[in-house]
Amino acid sequence: MGAQAQHIGPAEAAKRLGVSAKALRVYEEYGLLAPVRTAAGWRTYGAEQMRRAFDIVGLRRLGLSLAQIARALEGDAATLEPVLAAQQAKLEAEIRTMMEMAEKLRGFRGDLASERKPDAAGLVSMLSANAEPVIAFDLPWPWAGERFELRERRRLSHIVGPLGSGKTRLATCLAKTLPNAVFLPMERVEKPPRRNIDATHRGRVEAAITWIVDDAGHESDALLTLITELADERPSAFVIDMIEQGLDRETQEALIAYLRHGRCDARPLFFLTRSSAILDLGAVGPDEAVILCPANHNPPSVVAPYPGAPGYEAVATCLASPEVRKRTEGVIAWRP
């Protein structure tokens, strides 16, 4: 009785780990985690299972696929080395930038303490380094010419909004404004995947599909079409209408993991989504942006992905699970 009391159910285990109960099932199906079964067949997790689960979740957050995690847990150090090297390089670059800013601020404070006139132009320049928008254009209907500006261009930008909010129009404007960008409409899933690609392009597609399948995703024409387009090196950016179209939950989760961690190039992706599997607000990284098209047709704006931020609740209410999204697939907004 005492030993059994130390075990917890999937819901409590998931809460402590900061993941969903579905994630625990995926880890189990992939052979990474083996919960203890009660006499009635219910899954439970003891100290040993939780220690292993914490290792899995930690490696997942470093960007490893499920296949890579399996190798790492078996002691394959070569799997971890490139991931840790990339994380270290990123952190060191951020530290250097922060130290440079701190030193400049120290100088400004020193000027104030010595009653010297501070370098106001330098201070303004440092604090408004990103003042000039990197993307700017006049919005079409339903915004009637209002200005849209992005101060930073992130690697992944999620575009979210309720039906009729104009997010598809925003996406098409982005595709026209960004130099050499390509717009991928939802109709892509109705067309057969491109086959006439060269060997280099095909190799990139196969590597990406393998990464996603290793991460518990499922092959399909919809996935192959999407990855074939994204593996084309000619466009400088992609804008994708409903990136989750035609993909099941497991594939959506593996796809967004691939876009965050497995994709090597840094070309920006802008994509519409209403799936909570694609846009998990608790998993948004530092090189991602969430752009909300409000229901009241105020201009689209960037929303910080944490509770209490302006627009956060509006974004959250636009998202639904892949299962719910599938039931409402094909529903469109219509205005006379």
Side-chain angles (χ1 to χ4, degrees):
M1 181 68 177
Q4 184 65 35
Q6 295 175 4
H7 286 67
I8 57 176
E12 179 61 24
K15 181 179 178 181
R16 295 186 188 185
L17 293 163
V19 298
S20 66
K22 172 66 177 178
L24 295 179
R25 292 289 293 273
V26 171
Y27 302 156
E28 180 185 350
E29 291 166 5
Y30 212 81
L32 297 175
L33 187 62
V36 177
R37 297 278 184 167
T38 66
W42 298 103
R43 293 174 175 83
T44 64
Y45 299 82
E48 181 180 345
Q49 290 76 34
M50 289 299 290
R51 279 194 296 270
R52 187 172 177 87
F54 273 112
D55 289 343
I56 294 168
V57 172
L59 292 171
R60 198 83 168 94
R61 286 171 180 162
L62 283 176
L64 273 69
S65 70
L66 295 180
Q68 291 172 319
I69 290 172
R71 293 195 294 271
L73 291 175
E74 290 170 1
D76 181 4
T79 299
L80 283 175
E81 170 55 31
V83 177
L84 295 179
Q87 289 286 334
Q88 180 181 339
K90 181 180 177 182
L91 288 172
E92 288 175 347
E94 291 175 356
I95 289 170
R96 285 195 298 271
T97 299
M98 296 302 291
M99 288 182 68
E100 290 171 3
M101 289 187 67
E103 192 58 36
K104 289 178 182 177
L105 287 171
R106 189 194 307 276
F108 292 131
R109 293 182 64 197
D111 289 343
L112 292 174
S114 302
E115 297 185 351
R116 291 192 299 269
K117 183 179 179 180
D119 178 11
L123 179 60
V124 171
S125 175
M126 184 187 71
L127 296 179
S128 59
N130 296 314
E132 289 299 318
V134 296
I135 301 172
F137 53 84
D138 292 335
L139 291 161
W141 183 91
W143 297 284
E146 292 181 88
R147 193 73 171 165
F148 175 74
E149 295 182 347
L150 275 182
R151 301 290 171 177
E152 293 181 279
R153 185 180 304 175
R154 302 291 176 87
R155 191 162 172 264
L156 302 179
S157 295
H158 311 253
I159 301 174
V160 184
L163 291 171
S165 62
K167 55 187 180 294
T168 305
R169 286 189 176 84
L170 174 67
T172 54
C173 287
L174 281 166
K176 291 176 182 177
T177 303
L178 293 164
N180 196 32
V182 166
F183 179 71
L184 303 180
M186 277 199 296
E187 290 75 16
R188 67 185 181 274
V189 300
E190 300 169 3
K191 301 176 182 178
R194 278 201 284 159
R195 304 293 180 182
N196 56 335
I197 56 177
D198 60 37
T200 303
H201 190 167
R202 186 175 296 107
R204 291 193 295 270
V205 172
E206 290 174 354
I209 295 291
T210 298
W211 200 105
I212 291 168
V213 171
D214 280 349
D215 208 36
H218 302 125
E219 287 192 63
S220 64
D221 282 352
L223 177 65
L224 183 57
T225 297
L226 176 64
I227 295 300
T228 300
E229 296 294 342
L230 294 181
D232 190 339
E233 290 191 322
R234 292 171 295 178
S236 62
F238 291 94
V239 184
I240 309 165
D241 193 358
M242 289 302 165
I243 194 170
E244 65 265 21
Q245 194 73 7
L247 307 179
D248 60 24
R249 172 188 282 275
E250 291 79 9
T251 307
Q252 290 181 36
E253 292 173 344
L255 172 64
I256 191 63
Y258 167 75
L259 295 178
R260 284 179 173 135
H261 308 296
R263 177 171 156 261
C264 297
D265 68 86
R267 290 177 297 173
L269 300 184
F270 295 82
F271 46 84
L272 280 69
T273 184
R274 295 188 67 197
S275 169
S276 57
I278 293 291
L279 177 50
D280 178 350
L281 288 167
V284 174
D287 204 16
E288 298 177 55
V290 179
I291 302 172
L292 171 66
C293 294
N296 61 4
H297 294 151
N298 278 340
S301 61
V302 175
V303 174
Y306 53 83
Y312 177 90
E313 294 300 327
V315 169
T317 57
C318 292
L319 303 173
S321 69
E323 293 76 18
V324 172
R325 292 282 298 123
K326 187 172 182 60
R327 292 203 300 270
T328 59
E329 189 174 346
V331 176
I332 62 172
W334 179 85
R335 291 177 181 274

